[in-house]
Amino acid sequence: MSGPHFFSVDMMMVTSINDLHGWEPGSLVKGERLMRCKLASTHRLFDLYGWAQISQTLLTLRVSKEQEHFLVLPEGLAYSEVTGSSLVKVNLLGEVVEKGSTNLQVGTDKFSLHSAIYSARPDVRCLLHLHTPATAAVSAMKSGLLPLSHEALLVGDVAYYDYNGVMGEEEDRMELQKSLGPTCKVLVLRNHGIVALGESVEEAFYTIFHIQAACQIQVTALCSSGGEHNLIMLDRAIHKPNPTGTVSWAGSTFGPLHKSRTGEHEFEALMRTLDNLDRVAGAADKQRHPDVPLPRHLFQLLRGEPKALPDQPRDIVPPACPGPSPGPPPGGTCLEHLPRKASRRHLI
């Protein structure tokens, strides 16, 4: 799937991602609220793009290197239902440390793969496992991921591992560590999809987005060309990828010096997309339940803006696009025609 699937607001984004207002479990560490919202948002983005899986995959985030605790989706929740408080915090063995706002359990067998990767790679903070038809198809090809597109070059080095579905034996963990190496950020699980490794949620999502695009291009090209021998491969030494959002310093031409990390700006833009959907759903829910305060926006969390008080106005629902440009997609909103007050509060 190359783009998001837009559904009506009544079918998605009904429960706000940031539902942590008034939720005060004793085991929260510094920065965990933001991490919970980021990982919950990633689940919603997977659902929005049509990548959601009922089973077999997990999206996880390391919240504490000192204690080796991780956030994970409990079994029984759809990706479209995930909120910040519903995520479960587990240790390296998959044992529950903080159950979140539900009574659902965590699949320790599924988490065993993530546990093995986190153990082998202390630099990794986030793991995203994608098992779409395109990524599963490429993982089943002997050739693996081919350098057919700019997206494939952006992915960088790729490791391959013959995954049998479980990681119960120490021998399996050692073999995985040997295959993965110390720096690789993409792991192809033979016949089981692809895992993106990131030092942040933003980097992991940036990588998995381009992996999906590269796999879709490869599957389409192979189907339409009659075979690999009819395709033009890109030489990595000649065709240099042009990544955006890498760790670099902007020159004075663009104003003050600003350091950005891989995928940071793209992820913020996607958070604004979720905020727009959440605002429309929140406004509809506010009409049904006027006494329930509206949630704090994700973009405000990312930027570290002061927390809004419950009695302050928080949401401005943009009108339909009145200009010459096409209107917003069904269930979406038009960023170009946000009211001036809304753009200042939510986008700056």
Side-chain angles (χ1 to χ4, degrees):
M1 308 291 177
S2 58
H5 289 186
F6 290 99
F7 301 96
S8 67
V9 175
D10 289 339
M11 294 179 63
M12 66 181 304
M13 306 296 175
V14 175
T15 304
S16 295
I17 295 170
N18 181 16
D19 65 341
L20 300 172
H21 178 72
W23 189 67
E24 297 289 346
S27 63
L28 283 182
V29 300
K30 182 179 180 181
E32 185 176 332
R33 289 178 178 274
L34 176 57
M35 287 185 279
R36 282 179 171 272
C37 286
K38 283 185 178 182
L39 187 59
S41 299
T42 303
H43 283 86
R44 297 288 186 100
L45 288 173
F46 267 54
D47 182 69
L48 189 66
Y49 280 94
W51 303 342
Q53 298 289 306
I54 297 177
S55 61
Q56 304 303 319
T57 62
L58 282 180
L59 317 179
T60 60
L61 176 63
R62 190 199 304 260
V63 294
S64 172
K65 287 187 177 182
E66 292 75 17
Q67 297 177 306
E68 290 288 36
H69 289 167
F70 310 87
L71 295 177
V72 61
L73 174 69
E75 293 186 322
L77 276 186
Y79 281 28
S80 60
E81 298 176 302
V82 182
T83 66
S85 70
S86 65
L87 294 168
V88 178
K89 184 157 60 176
V90 300
N91 61 19
L92 200 58
L93 299 177
E95 299 169 338
V96 175
V97 175
E98 169 57 58
K99 69 176 184 178
S101 59
T102 76
N103 292 319
L104 301 175
Q105 302 299 312
V106 172
T108 54
D109 289 341
K110 288 194 295 183
F111 183 71
S112 63
L113 171 65
H114 291 239
S115 173
I117 297 176
Y118 283 124
S119 298
R121 292 287 297 275
D123 60 306
V124 171
R125 294 291 301 271
C126 182
L127 296 176
L128 305 180
H129 184 186
L130 192 60
H131 199 276
T132 59
T135 54
V138 171
S139 72
M141 296 179 185
K142 292 183 179 180
S143 61
L145 185 62
L146 299 172
L148 288 174
S149 61
H150 177 74
E151 288 77 8
L153 297 184
L154 278 174
V155 167
D157 295 334
V158 178
Y160 296 86
Y161 176 67
D162 293 325
Y163 182 53
N164 61 8
V166 293
M167 295 293 298
E169 302 296 332
E170 185 63 25
E171 182 181 349
D172 295 330
R173 290 174 173 262
M174 294 297 294
E175 186 64 29
L176 173 63
Q177 183 176 357
K178 181 180 177 180
S179 301
L180 191 56
T183 59
C184 187
K185 296 294 182 71
V186 178
L187 177 64
V188 176
L189 303 173
R190 290 296 190 184
N191 302 90
H192 282 80
I194 300 179
V195 179
L197 294 71
E199 297 178 19
S200 65
V201 176
E202 292 88 339
E203 181 187 16
F205 188 85
Y206 180 88
T207 301
I208 207 71
F209 183 91
H210 288 97
I211 288 172
Q212 167 63 20
C215 290
Q216 186 68 63
I217 291 170
Q218 180 169 323
V219 170
T220 304
L222 287 172
C223 289
S224 59
S225 66
E228 186 179 333
H229 61 282
N230 289 325
L231 298 176
I232 299 173
M233 303 296 169
L234 299 177
D235 187 342
R236 295 181 184 274
I238 300 175
H239 300 274
K240 302 290 185 181
N242 182 30
T244 58
T246 54
V247 179
S248 59
W249 293 92
S252 59
T253 304
F254 304 101
L257 293 178
H258 176 67
K259 188 176 182 180
S260 64
R261 296 187 179 276
T262 303
E264 179 183 355
H265 296 311
E266 293 83 358
F267 197 79
E268 286 187 358
L270 292 170
M271 293 305 94
R272 293 195 293 270
T273 299
L274 292 181
D275 270 344
N276 288 334
L277 292 169
D278 211 17
R279 276 203 296 272
V280 177
D285 192 58
K286 186 72 174 176
Q287 293 178 352
R288 293 191 295 267
H289 307 286
D291 297 332
V292 178
L294 291 170
R296 185 181 175 198
H297 294 302
L298 300 170
F299 190 62
Q300 289 176 324
L301 283 171
L302 289 175
R303 284 300 188 188
E305 296 179 15
K307 188 173 182 179
L309 297 175
D311 57 347
Q312 289 181 325
R314 308 184 191 190
D315 285 78
I316 300 177
V317 180
C321 175
S325 59
T333 53
C334 180
L335 284 177
E336 180 183 355
H337 297 96
L338 275 173
R340 188 175 301 273
K341 184 185 295 186
S343 64
R344 285 176 178 168
R345 289 187 55 204
H346 301 299
L347 303 181
I348 295 178

